[in-house]
Amino acid sequence: KAGVTQTPRYLIKTRGQQVTLSCSPISGHRSVSWYQQTPGQGLQFLFEYFSETQRNKGNFPGRFSGRQFSNSRSEMNVSTLELGDSALYLCASRVAAGTIYGYTFGSGTRLTVV
Amino acid sequence: AQTVTQSQPEMSVQEAETVTLSCTYDTSESDYYLFWYKQPPSRQMILVIRQEAYKQQNATENRFSVNFQKAAKSFSLKISDSQLGDAAMYFCAYANSGGGADGLTFGKGTHLIIQP
C-alpha cells in the first residue's frame, strides 16, 4: 500500500511569489491535514480537509489556503511568500472523521523563500 | 486551547539501555488521544504508539511503552533495549476526540541520541 506522497520534495521561491504544494493520501483515506514545521515554532496545524470541505484551520493568515479534490488529493497554496514561510510542510492522512487511529505522514516539502 | 510540553530538548542513552522521554499536556477535555511520533532525518513522522484517554491500561508496542497518568496529565514514553535505529526526534502529540478536525497539537520534541 503506497504511503502519503508529497510533491515536490524541495522548493525554492522568491519573496512575493506564490507556491502550491501537493499531497496524495493513502488510498482509502479521506481526511488530509497540513502542518508547518519550523525550528522556532515547531509543528503547527494549518488545516484539515474531509470530503472536499475544510473542517478547521489553525492560526495562520489568509495567505495560506488549501483545497481537496474528489479523489482526496489535497493542495495547499501560499500567496505573497515571506521569508518566514520557509519551513517543512507536512501532510498527513487518516481514514475518516471519527475514531482517530493515527495520522500517517508524508515526507514533507521543504520550502525555502529567498 | 490544548498545549503539549516536552521538557527534555535532548536525551542520550547507551545502546541496549532503557530511556524514558517525558511529556505533559494541558486540556479541559475528558476524552482525547495521545501519540508519540518519531521523526528520523528522512523527515517522515512515524507513529510509535497511541493511547486513548478513556483506556486506563498503558499502551505497549514491542520495545515501546507509555506511562499514562490522566490525573497528572502526563504521558511518558519508555524505550527498552535501545537500538541505533531509535535515534531521532520524538514528538508527543495530542488530539481531541470528536473527529480530529482540530488536528494534532505537538510538543517541541526531544532529540534522542543513541551511544554505541
Side-chain angles (χ1 to χ4, degrees), chain A residues 9-10 35 37 40-41 43 45 48 55-56 88 94 98-103 105-108 110, chain B residues 33 35 37 39 42-45 47 50 52 91 95-104 106 108:
Chain A
R9 194 159 167 81
Y10 298 92
Y35 296 82
Q37 185 176 21
Q41 298 298 315
L43 283 145
F45 170 71
E48 172 165 290
R55 298 178 68 216
N56 206 351
L88 179 66
R94 60 189 178 95
T99 301
I100 301 172
Y101 292 103
Y103 295 76
F105 283 81
S107 296
R110 172 77 66 188
Chain B
Y33 301 85
F35 306 87
Y37 277 91
Q39 187 179 40
S42 66
R43 306 181 330 200
Q44 184 176 12
M45 301 283 281
L47 178 63
R50 164 183 172 269
E52 293 151 296
F91 292 93
N96 280 324
S97 62
D102 298 333
L104 290 164
F106 286 91
K108 293 291 189 185

Side-chain angles (χ1 to χ4, degrees), chain A residues 6-83:
Chain A
Q6 290 189 246
T7 56
R9 194 159 167 81
Y10 298 92
L11 205 51
I12 300 176
K13 289 286 188 179
T14 304
R15 270 182 303 174
Q17 287 186 314
Q18 75 164 19
V19 66
T20 299
L21 311 181
S22 177
C23 172
S24 294
I26 288 174
S27 178
H29 284 197
R30 297 173 61 194
S31 174
V32 173
S33 52
W34 290 87
Y35 296 82
Q36 181 195 64
Q37 185 176 21
T38 60
Q41 298 298 315
L43 283 145
Q44 294 184 284
F45 170 71
L46 276 158
F47 26 63
E48 172 165 290
Y49 286 88
F50 176 72
S51 291
E52 303 176 62
T53 301
Q54 186 180 97
R55 298 178 68 216
N56 206 351
K57 183 175 180 180
N59 189 23
F60 281 84
R63 300 184 298 106
F64 290 81
S65 63
R67 59 178 174 169
Q68 187 179 34
F69 301 95
S70 58
N71 62 357
S72 296
R73 189 178 72 86
S74 177
E75 290 181 345
M76 67 162 281
N77 184 277
V78 187
S79 62
T80 318
L81 283 165
E82 301 177 359
L83 294 178

